[in-house]
Amino acid sequence: MRTLHTAALCSLLSLGMAGCATTASRPAFSTAPTATVLARGQTDAVGTANADAADDPAIWRNPVDPAASLIVGTDKKAGLYVYDLQGRQRSFVNAGRVNNVDLRDMGAAGIIVAASDRSDPLNARVALYRLDPKTATLTTLGMVSAGSGEAYGICLYREGAALFAFNVIKDGTIRQVALTIGDGAPTGQIVRTMKLATQSEGCVTDERTHRLYVAEEDVGLWRFDAAPGGSTTPVKMASADRYQIVPDTEGVALAAEGQGNGGYLLVSSQGDNAYAVYRLSDDAYLGRFRIGAGAVGSTEETDGIDAAVGDFGPGYPGGLFVAQDGQNAPAAQNFKLVAWADIKASLKLP
């Protein structure tokens, strides 16, 4: 979510407040070394033009034919798109004001797609769909209540055969909802609640380590125990210090490598059009990168991101990183596609 920060507000209004002088003296862009990578592809633009509309992607990797993998992306004014790796729109479902999206392959139950429905700012809901990989279409399953407040972020967490949705409310409340998906309408039960102090949105889970990562927009990155019976106390992982992350702290994505705690966490540093990278094993900050202006253009003001490692065909060696592009003129907003191998090479990651 793009917001007008204190520094910009003070400049526009010429308030001359003591608090404004401190905030305005901070650099608008990070001074940290920042690598550049180029996108190898991009999706068709979303249907809502001249608006902040595209928001969050979710990647489904086809284990049989990786080049036939799919991307689900939100138009938060209209609904959900399904794209192929050539960026072509394969289908659209009119889902209304869905903000963030995530998916899990639940075996016999199918590929479950969950989106945060913010149609009613007083009552959060989880919109559930099933993705058909053969036709690249979404079938509506139903809505599940996620309590009071405006739904912003969402991420799924699988523990054995159980599926949970973490619904991040605009005020920083996080509710873990146990989902039941069968032959009838889906149902949900809130099993616990956590809280961050201010506006939050992006989240992702690591099912290997049972961790939940949540971005608090003006503060930084936190992690929680994702298990339904775990601690609700957050642990600070990174600050929006205008060096590693320039607010807003936005999308969060996991590039998991191996069965232990290997791999990386990526965070959208929306304030300076960059992405910060952290090592999962010890939370260490490893560097930053931007998507530069290449054959398919750069990215700016990124909201949602997603990442998946593994074989995605020859076009995306090592894996796939997808980032929302907030400025895709003259077309409407869309999503840019980057090879994970290119990101690792740019930051000299092992």
Side-chain angles (χ1 to χ4, degrees):
M1 174 60 66
R2 295 169 186 84
T3 56
L4 188 62
H5 293 287
T6 305
L9 185 63
C10 291
S11 176
L12 287 172
L13 300 181
S14 301
L15 295 178
M17 297 166 59
C20 289
T22 301
T23 305
S25 66
R26 298 172 179 170
F29 278 67
S30 169
T31 58
T34 304
T36 298
V37 300
L38 300 181
R40 296 191 179 202
Q42 64 180 332
T43 68
D44 292 335
V46 299
T48 303
N50 303 315
D52 177 24
D55 196 277
D56 192 42
I59 300 167
W60 175 73
R61 179 182 171 274
N62 188 324
V64 177
D65 184 4
S69 299
L70 299 169
I71 301 162
V72 180
T74 62
D75 178 336
K76 60 190 175 187
K77 312 288 187 184
L80 291 165
Y81 289 89
V82 180
Y83 305 98
D84 58 27
L85 292 193
Q86 289 69 51
R88 296 173 299 207
Q89 178 188 327
R90 298 289 302 278
S91 66
F92 171 77
V93 60
N94 183 357
R97 299 185 67 211
V98 287
N99 202 50
N100 283 12
V101 66
D102 199 7
L103 58 81
R104 284 294 184 279
D105 190 334
M106 296 301 293
I111 303 163
I112 304 303
V113 176
S116 54
D117 184 280
R118 57 186 295 200
S119 300
D120 181 352
L122 300 180
N123 294 285
R125 298 189 299 177
V126 178
L128 293 166
Y129 303 84
R130 183 176 285 113
L131 173 64
D132 183 339
K134 294 181 180 179
T135 62
T137 57
L138 294 167
T139 299
T140 300
L141 298 178
M143 291 279 191
V144 169
S145 173
S148 62
E150 184 175 352
Y152 255 32
I154 197 167
C155 50
L156 294 176
Y157 171 66
R158 181 175 182 175
E159 192 174 81
L163 183 64
F164 301 87
F166 286 100
N167 197 260
V168 182
I169 307 303
K170 185 175 182 179
D171 68 358
T173 301
I174 306 156
R175 299 192 184 99
Q176 185 171 7
V177 183
L179 301 174
T180 300
I181 299 171
D183 295 332
T187 60
Q189 179 182 0
I190 298 172
V191 295
R192 64 179 183 146
T193 300
M194 296 160 281
K195 186 72 173 74
L196 294 174
T198 62
Q199 184 167 310
S200 306
E201 183 176 357
C203 69
V204 72
T205 65
D206 188 343
E207 287 152 357
R208 305 167 307 163
T209 58
H210 309 288
R211 285 182 171 178
L212 164 70
Y213 299 89
V214 183
E216 187 177 3
E217 293 189 357
D218 285 334
V219 177
L221 184 67
W222 300 86
R223 57 176 168 83
F224 293 85
D225 189 334
S231 170
T232 59
T233 302
V235 176
K236 189 71 169 294
M237 182 172 168
S239 294
D241 57 2
R242 296 180 178 266
Y243 185 81
Q244 296 180 17
I245 300 170
V246 178
D248 289 347
T249 313
E250 277 289 345
V252 187
L254 191 78
E257 297 183 346
Q259 297 301 311
N261 60 358
Y264 308 91
L265 194 75
L266 298 92
V267 182
S268 171
S269 173
Q270 190 185 79
D272 72 336
N273 310 324
Y275 311 91
V277 180
Y278 300 87
R279 188 165 52 217
L280 288 167
S281 61
D282 59 0
D283 296 350
Y285 167 72
L286 299 179
R288 318 168 82 246
F289 68 95
R290 290 191 179 93
I291 299 175
V296 297
S298 57
T299 58
E300 288 80 30
E301 299 182 356
T302 294
D303 282 313
I305 58 176
D306 198 15
V309 303
D311 182 9
F312 279 85
Y316 296 96
L320 177 66
F321 176 75
V322 180
Q324 181 260 5
D325 184 8
Q327 297 180 19
N328 188 45
Q333 296 177 347
N334 72 347
F335 302 90
K336 299 297 194 286
L337 282 60
V338 181
W340 176 236
D342 293 346
I343 295 171
K344 293 188 75 173
S346 72
L347 294 177
K348 299 180 172 57
L349 301 177

